Amino acid sequence: MDSYTRGALRFDVSEYGGSGSGPGHGEPVLLLHGFPQTAASWEPVARRLADAGYRVLAPDQRGYSPGARPQGRRAYRVEELVDDVVALADAAGAETVHVVGHDWGAVVAWALAALHPERVRTLTAVSVPHPAAFVRAMATSRQGALSWYMYFFQLPGAPERLLGRPGGLAAALRRAGQGRERARRDEAALAAKGGLRSALTGAVNWYRAMPFWEHKGLQLTVGVPTLLVWSDGDVAISRAAVDGTPRWVTGPYRLEVLSGVSHWIPDETPERLADLVLEQLATTAA
């Protein structure tokens, strides 16, 4: 599978098959990227999971796939993002999936597990805690200051002008702890998706759609087996938001803290992350 559709939208997908079995075999694992990356950010982790026998699907999500870039910020509400992932599972013929998300991908993964628990076998959230815990931490801790850019992203056109100039996005990623080469990779990957500024509008619209979520703050509990992987070098996510997460998880829950690692866990420590994900997937092995 290299693409799938939901209505008039077409999403690009990278698929990795189990070792010795080829694509289409093994339990399905969905890898959801964050801002401002693409499915390419998952490649080292995806290959490890595929070598362990899983069928791995990593989509370029709404706003990132050139064929799935609708107009207007309301089209990027979290409920729409979740339905995109459900459509991917349906297209893959998967009744249930393991879901792994980083950054904004983690928000979608949390929402999928909360709204469609019958479709989720396990949840692994990387870097970002439960959205309700995050929102509470914004009002009660330094998380509000760490999230200053979320307010800036509400401005029409301003983020695209700042980040869309040559080297602008890569520079911003480096300030957020991303390595030089990977920052350049991510800027180039977005530019290749129909032009940098167009892709940035789709990506930033995830933030602009937050006031229009039907489930405000996603104040819904999650009952599936859940792993949260957070790093203490994260400049965007506070420990207070992480510590508030267990309140919103009613199923088996585990927290792993990576010391000295930045926000960009899938890039910085892919082998360690893959080990943790494989442990999590094994919790529901038949």
Side-chain angles (χ1 to χ4, degrees):
M1 174 186 293
D2 58 8
S3 67
Y4 76 99
T5 59
R6 179 182 166 218
L9 304 181
R10 178 172 293 276
F11 298 83
D12 300 329
V13 181
S14 298
E15 179 170 2
Y16 305 79
S19 178
S21 63
H25 298 274
E27 294 180 15
V29 182
L30 308 187
L31 302 181
L32 307 180
H33 67 80
F35 175 89
Q37 298 189 295
T38 66
S41 63
W42 282 114
E43 185 168 354
V45 174
R47 293 197 182 280
R48 275 287 310 281
L49 301 184
D51 286 345
Y54 292 95
R55 181 189 182 189
V56 182
L57 297 165
D60 289 334
Q61 297 188 81
R62 179 175 293 234
Y64 294 85
S65 287
R69 198 169 287 164
Q71 298 295 312
R73 54 182 176 165
R74 288 178 182 268
Y76 295 82
R77 290 171 297 141
V78 71
E79 293 83 7
E80 293 288 351
L81 306 174
V82 166
D83 286 346
D84 294 341
V85 177
V86 172
L88 170 57
D90 290 343
E95 184 175 341
T96 60
V97 298
H98 301 278
V99 61
V100 183
H102 173 246
D103 187 78
W104 259 108
V107 176
V108 178
W110 281 110
L112 175 67
L115 296 172
H116 298 283
E118 75 284 354
R119 303 299 299 268
V120 178
R121 298 193 67 177
T122 66
L123 162 65
T124 301
V126 185
S127 298
V128 174
H130 190 288
F134 179 86
V135 170
R136 177 171 176 78
M138 286 188 69
T140 60
S141 73
R142 69 188 186 99
Q143 184 62 61
L146 295 178
S147 300
W148 63 269
Y149 60 92
M150 297 177 68
Y151 304 102
F152 171 67
F153 282 174
Q154 300 300 317
L155 300 176
E160 290 92 330
R161 288 192 296 272
L162 178 65
L163 302 178
R165 62 190 182 187
L169 179 60
L173 290 172
R174 291 201 65 204
R175 288 193 294 271
Q178 180 71 297
R180 181 188 300 272
E181 292 306 314
R182 294 187 180 104
R184 290 175 174 171
R185 175 205 66 189
D186 290 338
E187 180 174 299
L190 277 195
K193 295 288 183 178
L196 183 56
R197 289 205 177 188
S198 176
L200 278 170
T201 295
V204 173
N205 274 344
W206 288 41
Y207 292 91
R208 293 171 175 152
M210 291 178 68
F212 304 104
W213 287 9
E214 296 171 20
H215 300 82
K216 301 299 183 183
L218 206 71
Q219 297 189 44
L220 302 169
T221 57
V222 169
V224 305
T226 298
L227 167 66
L228 172 58
V229 183
W230 178 75
S231 46
D232 62 9
D234 196 315
V235 299
I237 306 296
S238 69
R239 183 62 192 248
V242 172
D243 290 343
T245 290
R247 172 184 175 187
W248 299 97
V249 182
T250 59
Y253 173 72
R254 175 183 168 199
L255 169 66
E256 285 285 342
V257 178
L258 304 183
S259 179
V261 178
S262 76
H263 175 78
W264 310 97
I265 295 173
D267 284 314
E268 196 167 330
T269 58
E271 292 298 320
R272 177 57 176 149
L273 178 58
D275 288 341
L276 292 170
V277 172
L278 287 170
E279 291 173 13
Q280 177 70 351
L281 303 188
T283 63
T284 60

